[in-house]
Amino acid sequence: MSSHHLFRSREAATPLILAVCAGIGLLALGTQAQAGEQDAVQFSGTAALTSDYVWRGSSQTQGDPAVQIGFKAAAANGFYGSVWGSNVEFAPQTHASSEFDFTVGWAGKIADEWALDVNLLHYRYPSTTSDLNWTELNGTVTYRDNYWLSLGYSNEALGSKERGIYSQIGARFPVNDALRFEAAVGHYYLDDVYNDSYTHGQLSAIWAVKAPFELRLTAHATDSSAERIFGDSLAGSRIEAAVQASF
């Protein structure tokens, strides 16, 4: 889920044909299932409709809605692979209208109350005429399933040739089986890319309406540095509403 504001304009790009994403995901999962032990691999997926694709505090669709779908295959030993797709709105001259995120990693318990997730994430924009693709190494430590600290590192941050480091700390507050709140604060070190860095925060209310659906309402805010980097039409304060189904 990336951001390439260097290449953006306020004009909308072509919508994503999500059937392509679904086909790629299903093909990848089917291949893995045949190659490995089927009873040791779990398959899952998500589909979402959101009013705005917000990533690390800034809009990836210039405030427009997005349709998103993802598939994941996880082995019993903790290793997993996933593919996720969304429409995006970048500058028209790049022809970038779709994003696919390919991830391979390992997740599991490292102590009774501690869990670790380490993965390599590749952001890809197949329809673009520019070289926007980039890769990031990520790690997340979780305590009691409700508190987490994440770090991400790339030497080609946001499709550049420069280093970027992202950090986030967050917490989850369950109210009951159906309702929970989540809060997170992140800081993106982009001095090598933009000669600046920025901080953002988000607060979400998530309601599990009826399995497999849940509703999410999120308030996002960034500091003035993000507005200087990306523009106040993409950064700043915004509200995002989404409905998601898990399968």
Side-chain angles (χ1 to χ4, degrees):
M1 299 171 232
S2 65
S3 178
H4 292 288
H5 303 286
L6 283 173
F7 305 99
R8 294 196 166 195
S9 75
R10 296 192 180 185
E11 299 180 46
T14 306
L16 168 67
I17 307 285
L18 282 167
V20 175
C21 177
I24 292 175
L26 289 171
L27 178 61
L29 294 182
T31 302
Q32 291 182 39
Q34 293 177 0
E37 298 180 7
Q38 296 186 23
D39 58 351
V41 178
Q42 292 186 340
F43 301 98
S44 59
T46 60
L49 173 63
T50 179
S51 63
D52 190 359
Y53 172 13
V54 182
W55 180 83
R56 296 180 181 177
S58 64
S59 175
Q60 307 299 283
T61 51
Q62 304 194 42
D64 292 336
V67 180
Q68 303 167 340
I69 189 167
F71 300 92
K72 180 179 181 180
N77 58 10
F79 289 97
Y80 67 88
S82 67
V83 58
W84 180 92
S86 176
N87 58 291
V88 296
E89 293 183 15
F90 285 10
Q93 61 267 28
T94 68
H95 303 288
S97 59
S98 59
E99 173 187 337
F100 293 102
D101 298 352
F102 299 92
T103 307
V104 291
W106 180 90
K109 291 282 188 179
I110 55 175
D112 287 343
E113 297 181 329
W114 295 87
L116 175 66
D117 185 337
V118 180
N119 63 73
L120 193 65
L121 171 58
H122 180 66
Y123 303 87
R124 193 157 195 87
Y125 303 88
S127 58
T128 183
T129 56
S130 304
D131 186 12
L132 306 182
N133 306 323
W134 62 292
T135 303
E136 185 177 54
L137 178 64
N138 295 282
T140 299
V141 177
T142 305
Y143 176 64
R144 291 187 174 180
D145 295 327
N146 287 325
Y147 309 94
W148 67 87
L149 173 64
S150 299
L151 290 173
Y153 171 83
S154 176
N155 59 2
E156 49 184 18
L158 306 183
S160 70
K161 301 299 181 183
E162 306 295 340
R163 179 182 62 175
I165 301 173
Y166 179 73
S167 61
Q168 184 187 93
I169 186 169
R172 182 179 297 109
F173 306 98
V175 177
N176 51 45
D177 291 341
L179 179 65
R180 70 183 187 274
F181 293 94
E182 294 181 1
V185 175
H187 187 79
Y188 210 165
Y189 299 88
L190 292 171
D191 297 271
D192 292 346
V193 183
Y194 294 112
N195 294 317
D196 206 348
S197 298
Y198 75 92
T199 300
H200 76 97
Q202 59 192 61
L203 177 62
S204 301
I206 300 99
W207 178 32
V209 184
K210 184 178 181 181
F213 297 98
E214 69 176 25
L215 301 177
R216 178 186 297 263
L217 185 65
T218 305
H220 298 273
T222 68
D223 62 8
S224 57
S225 294
E227 296 181 28
R228 288 195 298 270
I229 294 172
F230 305 127
D232 55 10
S233 64
L234 300 178
S237 300
R238 64 188 62 243
I239 300 293
E240 175 192 3
V243 57
Q244 177 173 299
S246 301
F247 51 90

